[in-house]
Amino acid sequence: MHAPEKAADELRRAMTKLGLHGAMIGSNICGRNLDDPRFEPLWATAAELDALMVVHPGNVAGADRLRAYYLTNLIGNPLDTSIAAACLIFGGVLARHPKLNFMMVHGGGFIPYQGGRWVHGWQVRPEPKVHLKESPEKYLDRFLYDTILHSKPSLEFLVRTAGAARVFLGSDYPYDMGTMECVRQVRALAIAPADRDMILGGHAATILNRKRQPAAVK
């Protein structure tokens, strides 16, 4: 990511020669937000290849105030995920690349729960309109999420508001906040059986069964 053109080339190699379906990146790159213009070659390539880009937080904002109580993870990780998503929207990245797919881990930070605040802010303030000339509402529907919320009511809210088609099973393995109860947690939700099955494996099957034949490695 420090050399975006090379990152774009590596994404193309991974998908066309190695048979992968996307990549995982950080929520910021050495403090640079994901709408930084230098990352544009990667976004263009990801959109062209229909890559699934997973955004995982790291180097989180406000770390100097989050040293105690493990707040760098408890608050910092979902915070930085939210910053990444906001920059992708308000920086115009999603508007420029209608086919870009981003999965925001840990249930999306506070994206699904405070999206209305972003929409309202765009309506009443000039700053969110600098690069985004239309409401952010439709771009909020572009994100995918995982199930790592550690709360049944929160996960049910996410599935109900975002739709099961945008929620993927996650475990957070092998991190120390990971859970081996992720399947049981989904099975315990008060959701339709078809939605449950989609989250538990239907999504993954669709992605992994895409007919991409890797080219011969030269």
Side-chain angles (χ1 to χ4, degrees):
M1 292 296 292
H2 299 78
E5 288 86 0
K6 292 182 178 180
D9 290 343
E10 180 61 12
L11 179 64
R12 186 180 300 280
R13 184 185 78 90
M15 294 186 66
T16 61
K17 294 185 177 182
L18 304 182
L20 301 183
H21 298 278
M24 185 174 75
I25 61 173
S27 53
N28 66 84
I29 311 302
C30 293
R32 295 191 182 99
N33 287 326
L34 298 184
D35 62 329
D36 190 302
R38 72 192 72 195
F39 301 131
E40 192 63 19
L42 178 61
W43 305 144
T45 300
E48 175 195 340
L49 296 173
D50 191 24
L52 177 60
M53 304 297 288
V54 179
V55 176
H56 194 284
N59 186 32
V60 301
D64 57 326
R65 296 180 58 201
L66 299 174
R67 294 192 182 101
Y69 317 121
Y70 201 47
L71 296 184
T72 51
N73 193 326
L74 303 185
I75 293 176
N77 277 0
L79 169 63
D80 224 73
T81 294
S82 303
I83 294 172
C87 290
L88 290 171
I89 291 178
F90 291 110
V93 176
L94 295 184
R96 290 193 299 275
H97 301 288
K99 293 185 177 181
L100 263 181
N101 298 301
F102 287 97
M103 177 183 289
M104 315 306 285
V105 301
H106 309 143
F110 70 63
I111 308 163
Y113 321 101
Q114 291 286 344
R117 186 175 182 86
W118 296 6
V119 174
H120 178 70
W122 183 90
Q123 292 169 343
V124 302
R125 294 292 306 180
E127 297 92 340
K129 296 185 176 77
V130 171
H131 300 294
L132 187 66
K133 305 308 179 184
E134 55 186 338
S135 171
E137 186 169 8
K138 73 176 186 179
Y139 299 107
L140 287 164
D141 292 336
R142 292 269 298 277
F143 292 120
L144 306 173
Y145 307 101
D146 71 9
T147 57
I148 301 301
L149 284 165
H150 307 290
S151 164
K152 180 180 177 182
S154 297
L155 184 52
E156 286 177 340
F157 175 84
L158 176 61
V159 175
R160 184 171 68 252
T161 55
R166 291 166 52 207
V167 180
F168 286 63
L169 183 69
S171 69
D172 217 7
Y173 178 86
Y175 294 102
D176 56 3
M177 285 283 287
T179 175
M180 296 296 103
E181 299 297 314
C182 51
V183 172
R184 292 188 184 92
Q185 290 167 354
V186 173
R187 287 176 174 164
L189 298 178
I191 60 176
D195 290 343
R196 178 199 62 211
D197 293 343
M198 183 182 298
I199 295 170
L200 288 179
H203 284 316
T206 298
I207 293 174
L208 295 175
N209 288 333
R210 287 177 184 170
K211 301 300 183 183
R212 279 202 188 97
Q213 297 298 326
V217 178
K218 296 181 180 179

